Amino acid sequence: MGFGWPRVVSTKDDLARVLSLHDSPYHGLTLCLGSFSANPGQDAVDAVRTFMDRIHFTHVRNIKHLGNGDFTEVAHRACEGSVDTTGIMRAYAEAGYQGYVRPDHGRHLWDENTTNKPRPGYGLYDRALGVQYLLGAWDAFRHGA
């Protein structure tokens, strides 16, 4: 549950059940790793490796689990939170992933609220920093690091 609302698809087993409804390369996932990782019992890297051939679009996000069961969005770097964003990018790179990758969400940085008035959760600067971090990891793993 998140914000008191039940989640319909929140585990690896749930994803497998949804994908089993129709076995087609066109029936795939937009895998939001921040939402998926809200459940601390789920392994995002394992989910990426398991469902790689059915992931058409991915949101790569880092969150930090808090002691009371809540979570908060943090910077994209793996060391900032509870999600192995580097491992996720390694899994995508090693598989030769061809889909879309988006650095989902972003905090508002550097007085951004007063300068360009972004939508809540979509800070421009943090997403720009995030995509550069993710691309750096992607490049490192694609070229043998």
Side-chain angles (χ1 to χ4, degrees):
M1 298 213 0
F3 300 109
W5 293 90
R7 293 178 186 259
V8 176
V9 178
S10 60
T11 68
K12 185 177 167 185
D13 289 342
D14 293 342
L15 290 172
R17 188 180 72 244
V18 167
L19 291 172
S20 73
L21 295 174
H22 185 65
D23 188 20
S24 167
Y26 302 106
H27 179 219
L29 299 172
T30 294
L31 185 58
C32 179
L33 292 160
S35 294
F36 182 78
S37 299
N39 178 341
Q42 297 304 302
D43 182 340
V45 176
D46 181 53
V48 167
R49 290 189 189 284
T50 300
F51 302 115
M52 181 64 67
D53 61 333
R54 303 289 288 274
I55 300 171
H56 298 173
F57 186 91
T58 187
H59 299 162
V60 180
R61 184 74 198 126
N62 199 351
I63 62 170
K64 183 174 183 77
H65 295 119
L66 305 175
N68 65 357
D70 290 342
F71 66 90
T72 186
E73 293 180 333
V74 295
H76 289 81
R77 293 181 62 211
C79 65
E80 299 286 335
S82 306
V83 180
D84 184 3
T85 51
T86 305
I88 288 165
M89 294 312 291
R90 178 188 293 270
Y92 280 125
E94 288 176 349
Y97 179 67
Q98 296 291 307
Y100 294 96
V101 177
R102 186 177 97 188
D104 200 26
H105 295 249
R107 301 157 301 152
H108 297 174
L109 303 175
W110 303 313
D111 204 27
E112 192 168 16
N113 287 328
T114 58
T115 55
N116 65 6
K117 309 258 190 277
R119 294 182 320 183
Y122 289 90
L124 171 65
Y125 304 132
D126 195 34
R127 285 186 299 138
L129 292 169
V131 75
Q132 288 308 116
Y133 172 75
L134 298 174
L135 287 172
W138 173 270
D139 287 346
F141 296 129
R142 290 284 291 171
H143 301 292

